[in-house]
Amino acid sequence: MKIATLTTAALLAVGIVSTADAQTLKKVAEANKITVAYRESSVPFSYLIGPTKAVGFSVDLSEAIIDDVRKAIKKPNLDVGYVAVTSQNRIPLLQNGTIDLECGSTTNNTTRSKDVTFAINHFYTGTRLLTKTNSGIKNYPDLAGKPVVSTSGTTNVQVIRRYDTEKNLGMDFKYGKDHADSFLLVENDRAVAFAMDDILLYGLRANSKNPELFHVVGDALQVEPYACMLRKDDPEFKKLVDGAITRLMKSGEFSKLYTKWFESAIVPKGINLKLPMSQELKANLKALSDKPAM
């Protein structure tokens, strides 16, 4: 795949696309191109295994959706562009038309639903802590007065700051620009713990240089759903994306993809996360809900 390497400033300079006069399928058909987002370090959802190769569970979901787009607009040779996004810029880049679809590790919540639309939920996770095994950190009270990192632009920042306020722990907050940056702060002892969705922490640990030096601890705070993001007020495209996800869930292909990325050896190191499907996700294979977290 050919991946765009543009700065955030350059991407945000792209003209605003109004959903009132340019629906996604119409836009894609006219340009003969769909542009999808990927994340650089959201293992196992979307991450790089080389300078120009993004893989993961969410990447596979995106590819299935793209196949349905090709059929819907009758363009089997539809061009596909790929743009790296971060937690901070993923919503603006969707809103301004730089990307047409974002399937990564994005929480579906009511605040974001004011700006974007979410497809059917495809994962459920909760905020936990990654720390060094010799740190002595076992749960949130152990973080009192200590440096704690989370990734800018994520819901986890709000979750951990709210907990800190409620418990009056006086944590010293730091913010990474992406998940890899946040992990590095723990690795280099600039923070004692990284508060993030537990599945992403397991993925970062598994792909680190020395996985045995880290572990994931703490109670799960605020279980939340992940879902693909679409532009607001585009029911035609939401129907297509929901249809693709529904097809995968009902046919059993979704469960096979889950096994591939969460219960089998994954690239690049062949590490198995050994994470069984949650009860919430099992239930949603039948409910097909796009209900947001509060």
Side-chain angles (χ1 to χ4, degrees), residues 14-291:
V14 176
I16 297 294
V17 172
S18 170
T19 57
D21 56 17
Q23 297 297 300
T24 301
L25 290 179
K26 177 184 176 183
K27 171 180 178 286
V28 168
E30 290 177 348
N32 192 38
K33 181 178 181 179
I34 185 170
T35 304
V36 298
Y38 72 94
R39 300 296 296 271
E40 295 181 319
S41 57
S42 291
V43 183
F45 294 92
S46 180
Y47 61 103
L48 290 176
I49 58 170
T52 60
K53 181 64 176 177
V55 298
F57 179 70
S58 296
V59 175
D60 285 352
L61 287 183
S62 295
E63 295 299 328
I65 293 166
I66 292 167
D67 283 343
D68 281 16
V69 171
R70 289 192 177 100
K71 295 172 185 175
I73 63 175
K74 298 180 173 59
K75 288 185 178 289
N77 297 317
L78 179 68
D79 188 22
V80 182
Y82 298 88
V83 172
V85 299
T86 66
S87 300
Q88 300 98 311
N89 68 19
R90 55 191 166 182
I91 290 178
L93 295 185
L94 182 65
Q95 290 177 310
N96 73 15
T98 300
I99 58 174
D100 300 306
L101 174 70
E102 193 271 348
C103 294
S105 52
T106 300
T107 297
N108 172 9
N109 65 25
T110 53
T111 299
R112 289 174 176 162
S113 293
K114 297 175 183 177
D115 299 315
V116 298
T117 294
F118 286 95
I120 291 170
N121 298 328
H122 61 249
F123 196 80
Y124 292 82
T125 187
T127 300
R128 295 182 67 197
L129 302 169
L130 179 138
T131 184
K132 287 188 173 179
T133 53
N134 64 358
S135 69
I137 304 297
K138 300 298 182 184
N139 216 328
Y140 301 96
D142 300 324
L143 300 176
K146 293 176 178 157
V148 179
V149 64
S150 194
T151 303
S152 296
T154 63
T155 58
N156 310 86
V157 170
Q158 302 164 32
V159 170
I160 192 67
R161 286 183 67 89
R162 183 167 59 246
Y163 185 92
D164 177 66
T165 299
E166 291 173 352
K167 303 298 182 180
N168 195 28
L169 295 176
M171 298 179 197
D172 176 16
F173 290 106
K174 301 181 182 299
Y175 305 100
K177 62 181 175 61
D178 56 30
H179 301 323
D181 187 43
S182 296
F183 181 86
L184 188 63
L185 293 185
V186 176
E187 190 174 41
N188 293 341
D189 296 316
R190 293 175 59 194
V192 298
F194 175 15
M196 183 47 55
D197 298 341
D198 53 6
I199 179 55
L200 299 181
L201 297 179
Y202 280 113
L204 288 163
R205 175 188 177 276
N207 282 280
S208 67
K209 295 177 183 177
N210 297 293
E212 68 279 2
L213 296 181
F214 306 92
H215 61 175
V216 178
V217 301
D219 300 324
L221 299 180
Q222 191 168 321
V223 175
E224 300 178 334
Y226 285 174
C228 297
M229 281 199 304
L230 325 171
R231 273 186 287 277
K232 193 93 173 150
D233 301 321
D234 192 349
E236 182 184 29
F237 192 49
K238 175 170 169 56
K239 181 178 179 181
L240 183 146
V241 175
D242 282 347
I245 295 172
T246 295
R247 170 172 55 81
L248 294 175
M249 287 182 169
K250 288 188 174 181
S251 69
E253 286 301 308
F254 183 93
S255 294
K256 291 178 181 178
L257 287 178
Y258 188 95
T259 299
K260 172 185 174 182
W261 290 106
F262 297 95
E263 299 182 286
S264 305
I266 61 174
V267 292
K269 294 185 177 182
I271 294 173
N272 187 341
L273 297 179
K274 298 180 181 180
L275 187 69
M277 189 178 292
S278 67
Q279 292 303 314
E280 291 90 348
L281 184 52
K282 286 180 180 179
N284 211 44
L285 297 188
K286 297 179 180 179
L288 304 173
S289 172
D290 62 0
K291 183 179 178 180

